[in-house]
Amino acid sequence: MDQQNSLILMLTHFHQPLPRQPFLNIDNNSVDSCSDLSMTAGSSGSSRVIELPKHPSTKKSRRNQSRGKSSSRPFMDQQVWKDFPEDLFEAVIARLPIATFFRFRAVCQRWNSLLTSKSFSQHCVQVPQANPWFYTVTGECLNSGFMYDPSVKKWHHHTFSTRTEFCVQVPVASAGGLICFTGFDHRDYCVCNPLNQSFTELPIRPSKSHSQCYRAVGMTVNGNSTDAGYKILLVHANGDYEIYDSLRKSWSHQGNMPAGIKRPVTVNFGSCVSVDSTIYFTRSYPEAIISFDMETEVWKQNIIPSPSHVIDHALAEYNGRIMLVGLLGKNAATCVCIWELQQMTLLWKEVDRMPNEWCLEFYGKAVIMTCLGNRGGLLMLSLRSRFSMRSVLVNRLVSYNMASREWLQVPTCKVPGGRKRQCVSYGTAFYPSLTSMA
C-alpha cells in the first residue's frame, strides 16, 4: 500500500490539476469526530473542503537526506513516467482506501470521472472486498445517516442529495454496495449508494399491499456486481411476498409462502442475511430459520430452537455460515454471545461471548440490543439500558470481528449540533463501492 500511495503521489505531480478543485477533508478527522461524506460523481459536493496543495511536500526524512538528492530525481523524472500505461492508473487507484480515492479525484479530469467509468468499475470488482462499513441512523437524527469505517475507526456523515417524498430514510437491507431505505410508513422505498450518491426511488407498489405489514426485507445482486441488476424481497405477516427487479424496474406480487410455513410470519425485524442468492431470516412461534432463493424462488423452513436463556437475538453472516448474536440473560446477569449454526445437526454452538468486564456494566439491567451483522463477519452492537427513568443510561457501541474474535469499543461521533451519539436505532452493514449504481 505504501508503494501504491507513492505512485499516486508521483502521478499527481505530472497530471494537469483541475483549477482550484477542492477535495473532501476526511483523512484529518479525529476518531471522535464525524466528517461529511456527501459526494457525487463529477463534483465534490457541499462538504467541508480544503484546497489541494499545489506541490507535494518537499520535506525529506533523515533516511532520504542521507541518500542524497540524486536518488530521488530519476523517480520523479517526467521522461521516465510520461509513458506509464493509462490502464494501470485505474488498477492502482481501485486498490486505494476509499478516503484516499476521493482525495485524488481532485488531481485531474480523468480521475474525476472514474466513478462513471466502466473500465474502472471492472477493476474495482476484481479487488477483494475488505471490511464492510456500517450505515446507521439514530432516534436523535432521523433525517441523515452516519457511516462507520472500521478499518480506520472513523465516522462519516451522509445526507441525501436527492429530495424524496418521505423525509425519514431507514436502512433495511444492502447488497453490492447499495442500501435499500424505507420510511416509517413502509410505503415508499429507495436504493442509494451513499458513496457516489447514485439514487433510485422505487416505483409505488400495488395498492393492495400498502395495508399489509411487512416483516422482513432482503436484498441480493445478480452475480458479482450491480451491473447485472439486483432484487429486493418483501415478506408480509400473512405470508405474501413481493420482489422488486431492478432490470424490469417494477414490483411483482409472487403469491404466498408454502402452506407448511405458519402464519402470521413473526420475524425479528432487521435480522435478514444473504448468502449468494439466498436470503435467511428467523421466525418465532415456532422458532425456525426461513430461507428464500432469489434465483430458484424456492422457500425452505428449518425448525431450529434458540439457545437457552436468550432474551433477544439477530442473525449474522461469516464466510457463508449462519451465525446468531444474542443477549444471554440468566438471573440478573446479561451478556452478548455468538453462536454458529452446525450444518449437520442444525443446532447452535456457542463460539464466543463478550468480555466479562463489559457484561458487568449491564448486571441487573434490562438491555436493549441493536445488531448489525449481515455482511463479512463483522458486527456492530448498540447496547443500552437504565435502571429507571432517573438512573444513568448505560450506553455502549461495540464491534466484534468473527475472524480475529476481537471485541472493540466503537468511537463516538458528533451529530449536527455538536452532540455525541453512541446508540443505533436502525442500520445495516454494507461493502463500500465506488462504482455501484442504483
Side-chain angles (χ1 to χ4, degrees), residues 161-326:
S161 60
T162 304
R163 293 185 177 273
T164 60
E165 293 182 359
F166 55 100
C167 61
V168 178
Q169 286 86 15
V170 178
V172 290
S174 66
L178 303 178
I179 301 177
C180 177
F181 296 86
T182 186
F184 280 133
D185 58 3
H186 311 312
R187 294 174 58 92
D188 303 309
Y189 287 83
C190 68
V191 174
C192 174
N193 183 338
L195 294 186
N196 62 22
Q197 290 289 3
S198 170
F199 179 92
T200 294
E201 192 165 356
L202 304 190
I204 298 176
R205 290 151 45 227
S207 58
K208 179 182 177 180
S209 63
H210 281 169
S211 60
Q212 300 176 2
C213 179
Y214 79 93
R215 293 301 185 187
V217 183
M219 184 175 181
T220 60
V221 295
N222 305 331
N224 296 328
S225 69
T226 57
D227 293 341
Y230 57 87
K231 294 179 180 178
I232 297 172
L233 169 71
L234 298 186
V235 180
H236 302 279
N238 64 355
D240 285 350
Y241 64 99
E242 304 169 71
I243 295 178
Y244 174 78
D245 189 330
S246 67
L247 298 181
R248 297 179 180 177
K249 298 183 179 180
S250 63
W251 292 94
S252 60
H253 182 263
Q254 299 298 111
N256 207 271
M257 287 181 174
I261 301 179
K262 184 180 178 181
R263 277 66 159 180
V265 182
T266 54
V267 304
N268 188 0
F269 170 73
S271 182
C272 291
V273 299
S274 60
V275 179
D276 297 326
S277 63
T278 303
I279 296 174
Y280 299 84
F281 54 92
T282 58
R283 67 155 300 146
S284 304
Y285 316 114
E287 293 179 322
I289 291 183
I290 301 176
S291 66
F292 178 72
D293 192 315
M294 297 284 261
E295 290 184 354
T296 63
E297 298 186 358
V298 173
W299 287 95
K300 291 183 180 179
Q301 176 180 258
N302 291 297
I303 305 299
I304 304 175
S306 298
S308 301
H309 307 293
V310 170
I311 304 172
D312 190 12
H313 60 77
L315 286 183
E317 182 273 339
Y318 173 53
N319 283 346
R321 291 175 282 177
I322 303 300
M323 313 294 289
L324 187 73
V325 184

Side-chain angles (χ1 to χ4, degrees), residues 366-427:
V367 182
I368 299 175
M369 179 186 76
T370 301
C371 175
L372 314 181
N374 55 303
R375 288 289 182 273
L378 198 62
L379 306 177
M380 177 180 285
L381 298 171
S382 177
L383 304 169
R384 53 197 184 276
S385 179
R386 70 169 91 216
F387 272 117
S388 65
M389 294 302 295
R390 294 183 178 181
S391 65
V392 177
L393 182 69
V394 179
N395 199 344
R396 293 289 177 266
L397 201 58
V398 301
S399 66
Y400 176 69
N401 190 317
M402 293 185 184
S404 62
R405 296 192 175 185
E406 183 179 26
W407 297 84
L408 295 173
Q409 288 193 354
V410 175
T412 59
C413 73
K414 293 181 180 179
V415 301
R419 292 176 296 123
K420 290 185 177 181
R421 67 182 288 273
Q422 200 169 357
C423 68
V424 171
S425 299
Y426 305 96

